[in-house]
Amino acid sequence: MEHRAMPRGLVSRSLIAALLFAVAVVPGWTLGNLAEDWTGNGLLDWLVTCAWCGLAVRVLAPAVSYRARDGWLGAIPLYGIYLTCVLSWRVAYLPFRDWEPRPDELTRARWLTGDHLGLWRADTVPARRAVTAETRPAAGPRTR
């Protein structure tokens, strides 16, 4: 019997997104506050917090149609927190997507129909197998 995945509801998606956001941002705030307490430098607090947000964006970005290099955008003060919030919201809905995939993702993305109309699903890229003598396709019939 085949198990069909269903999209998450608003409450469960919100709870998962809030938990992801807390896991992604609170350690940066804590480390920043500790750095400020140890050194007395308020700027170091901002630098540590922004670096942590950039790291969180770097980790979450590839799963939700952002590039990994967008982690640099996550290091911008306040914008990084906003971007982390958006990425947490999107990760909480996976494997379904309510956003359009990037052009390089279209080869593996599917527009869903029926009960899931308006959603996308982009499955992971399958691992490539090495071509060996055993896996090489047999030669077809020769033509003249």
Side-chain angles (χ1 to χ4, degrees), residues 65-87:
S65 297
Y66 277 79
R67 296 173 304 258
R69 67 179 182 217
D70 289 334
W72 291 108
L73 295 175
I76 297 172
L78 299 179
Y79 182 70
I81 294 173
Y82 165 76
L83 192 56
T84 305
C85 184
V86 170
L87 296 179

Side-chain angles (χ1 to χ4, degrees), residues 50-113:
C50 291
W52 188 270
C53 275
L55 179 67
V57 170
R58 173 80 167 91
V59 169
L60 294 174
V64 291
S65 297
Y66 277 79
R67 296 173 304 258
R69 67 179 182 217
D70 289 334
W72 291 108
L73 295 175
I76 297 172
L78 299 179
Y79 182 70
I81 294 173
Y82 165 76
L83 192 56
T84 305
C85 184
V86 170
L87 296 179
S88 298
W89 181 251
R90 287 184 171 191
V91 166
Y93 206 52
L94 290 176
F96 296 98
R97 297 167 173 228
D98 55 0
W99 65 91
E100 191 171 330
R102 288 191 331 251
D104 62 329
E105 295 177 320
L106 285 175
T107 57
R108 58 188 174 95
R110 293 180 293 141
W111 175 256
L112 301 177
T113 59

Side-chain angles (χ1 to χ4, degrees), residues 6-138:
M6 296 295 295
R8 289 183 183 88
L10 183 61
V11 174
S12 62
R13 184 180 184 186
S14 298
L15 290 173
I16 292 170
L19 181 67
L20 283 171
F21 180 76
V23 167
V25 173
V26 171
W29 287 341
T30 305
L31 290 174
N33 286 335
L34 289 173
E36 183 180 10
D37 290 344
W38 290 336
T39 63
N41 189 353
L43 182 62
L44 187 60
D45 178 10
W46 274 98
L47 288 175
V48 169
T49 303
C50 291
W52 188 270
C53 275
L55 179 67
V57 170
R58 173 80 167 91
V59 169
L60 294 174
V64 291
S65 297
Y66 277 79
R67 296 173 304 258
R69 67 179 182 217
D70 289 334
W72 291 108
L73 295 175
I76 297 172
L78 299 179
Y79 182 70
I81 294 173
Y82 165 76
L83 192 56
T84 305
C85 184
V86 170
L87 296 179
S88 298
W89 181 251
R90 287 184 171 191
V91 166
Y93 206 52
L94 290 176
F96 296 98
R97 297 167 173 228
D98 55 0
W99 65 91
E100 191 171 330
R102 288 191 331 251
D104 62 329
E105 295 177 320
L106 285 175
T107 57
R108 58 188 174 95
R110 293 180 293 141
W111 175 256
L112 301 177
T113 59
D115 293 338
H116 306 302
L117 186 64
L119 299 177
W120 290 85
R121 183 158 180 158
D123 298 321
T124 58
V125 178
R128 290 189 171 198
R129 295 183 311 167
V131 177
T132 61
E134 293 83 29
T135 60
R136 186 175 302 132

